[in-house]
Amino acid sequence: MNNYLNIHPEVAEALKNNQPVVALESTIISHGMPYPQNVATARAVENIIREQGAIPATIAILDGKCCVGLNDEQLEYLGQAKDVWKVSLRDMPYVVANKIAGATTVAATMRIASMAGIKVFVTGGIGGVHRDAQQTMDISADLTEMSNTNVAIVSAGVKSILDIGLTLEYLETLGVPVITFSQKEFPSFYSRESGHASPLSSDSEQEIASILKAKWDLQINGSVLIANPVPKEMEIAFHEIESKIQQALNEAKLAGISGKETTPFLLKRIAEITGGNSLATNIALIKNNALLGAKVAIYLAKIS
Ligand code: PSU
Ligand code: MN
């Protein structure tokens, strides 16, 4: 495995000394946001994690290696290049063997973070059960990966491009605890509301860290989803974004979009339809997640 893993020296040193490290994904950079906001956000998020006293490790596949911790030049490349693959779990062997540049999804990022020994991972939104999954069977590999791999995820909940209720059901089936930070309702990325109660909630980063430790000490493998509502002043009302999501979903259907193209298509169209409004919200919530993730990672390192 070491042949395929390239851990940045700073990250390796932190892991060796049991210091808190926070993993970050790269699909969000290459396929989730436009340039140059994507690169600026990636850097800002890394800085927030550092300010809290943890070490950031952005993950991607470059030159046949699973890279854990990227330099400035690599971040810039992932933000600008047009030929970067969106790499989920099934794509990893092909992309590694052929030395293709790959931006990792939640599933692939978790797996690589786990190989490196990182326990906490911050993103914007995870993939899940799509709205018409009864017909398409489109269920993100993010979910199945969450049942296997011992890396906790901080996200702003689940976007309503997905069926939020079915996604929560599926996480229950897979034995993944879902904890919403500071409120009882599960959030839906742009909005603090979703219409779904969160299975668990907590006001304390310390308590969340202790739940992670208990889960893995009990040898219950898999992730914990920590849902962090977008800051109030930056949220887009649930009913307001819903009509726009519906429009994007209709367009995807008409254009015959399917498989791995679905999520990037929807994200891009929603950003266009909302005229950049959603991008500002997206950036704010990721920063907010980085803050929470760093705090959880710091407590977890203390008790581990
Ligand atoms: N949902 C978002 N933003 C994202 C993604 C999902 O709100 O950037 C990205 C993540 O990288 C996630 C991936 O892992 O899309 C899921 O893709 P799919 O649905 O094809 O599994
Ligand atoms: Mn899919």
Side-chain angles (χ1 to χ4, degrees):
M1 182 175 304
N2 278 342
N3 278 341
Y4 295 111
L5 200 58
N6 186 351
I7 306 181
H8 191 287
E10 184 194 23
V11 175
E13 182 69 14
L15 288 167
K16 201 179 81 191
N17 299 326
N18 192 31
Q19 285 170 332
V21 177
V22 175
L24 299 160
E25 64 153 311
S26 45
T27 292
I28 198 172
I29 304 173
S30 298
H31 305 279
M33 273 191 203
Y35 182 82
Q37 289 93 338
N38 54 0
V39 176
T41 304
R43 292 199 178 115
V45 162
E46 288 199 350
N47 285 335
I48 288 167
I49 290 167
R50 279 185 203 286
E51 278 163 19
Q52 292 303 308
I55 301 295
T58 304
I59 290 176
I61 298 177
L62 295 166
D63 212 12
K65 305 273 187 199
C66 299
C67 298
V68 180
L70 302 179
N71 61 34
D72 241 32
E73 198 184 322
Q74 291 168 321
L75 273 186
E76 189 71 29
Y77 173 78
L78 288 167
Q80 282 205 49
K82 292 280 166 263
D83 53 354
V84 178
W85 271 49
K86 173 185 163 189
V87 182
S88 191
L89 207 57
R90 61 140 192 217
D91 310 298
M92 276 177 62
Y94 184 87
V95 167
V96 166
N98 288 307
K99 299 190 160 52
I100 296 167
T104 48
T105 64
V106 167
T109 305
M110 277 181 82
R111 182 64 67 100
I112 296 168
S114 166
M115 289 174 188
I118 301 172
K119 293 287 175 201
V120 176
F121 163 33
V122 163
T123 186
I126 61 163
V129 181
H130 281 261
R131 282 197 191 185
D132 51 359
Q134 294 89 331
Q135 269 80 46
T136 61
M137 301 264 295
D138 191 350
I139 299 172
S140 176
D142 291 356
L143 297 187
T144 40
E145 186 61 19
M146 288 173 79
S147 74
N148 289 322
T149 299
N150 298 359
V151 176
I153 303 179
V154 181
S155 93
V158 168
K159 265 201 191 84
S160 65
I161 59 172
L162 304 171
D163 188 316
I164 297 175
L166 290 187
T167 301
L168 288 170
E169 289 293 346
Y170 204 82
L171 288 167
E172 180 189 0
T173 302
L174 297 174
V176 176
V178 176
I179 310 169
T180 296
F181 185 65
S182 75
Q183 68 177 36
K184 301 265 181 254
E185 185 167 348
F186 186 71
S188 61
F189 196 88
Y190 297 115
S191 168
R192 295 166 68 86
E193 294 166 23
S194 69
H196 296 272
S198 180
L200 301 167
S201 73
S202 175
D203 295 326
S204 150
E205 296 91 349
Q206 217 163 338
E207 183 190 26
I208 293 171
S210 71
I211 295 168
L212 303 185
K213 178 169 162 47
K215 183 174 197 241
W216 297 324
D217 281 354
L218 290 163
Q219 297 187 9
I220 304 173
N221 284 333
S223 187
V224 171
L225 180 60
I226 304 161
N228 192 25
V230 60
K232 243 190 208 103
E233 62 281 7
M234 291 305 291
E235 88 171 316
I236 305 176
F238 189 70
H239 61 87
E240 192 185 314
I241 196 80
E242 180 57 29
S243 62
K244 289 161 184 159
I245 285 173
Q246 200 56 58
Q247 184 187 335
L249 285 166
N250 289 339
E251 288 180 14
K253 199 170 259 173
L254 282 174
I257 304 290
S258 67
K260 71 185 282 190
E261 308 306 333
T262 303
T263 299
F265 178 91
L266 293 171
L267 298 179
K268 183 158 171 279
R269 280 304 291 144
I270 291 164
E272 288 164 359
I273 295 165
T274 59
N277 220 351
S278 67
L279 183 59
T281 300
N282 205 337
I283 292 168
L285 66 83
I286 293 168
K287 291 180 179 173
N288 190 44
N289 292 350
L291 200 62
L292 178 59
K295 288 179 181 166
V296 170
I298 288 165
Y299 282 120
L300 186 61
K302 266 190 201 142
I303 58 178
S304 294

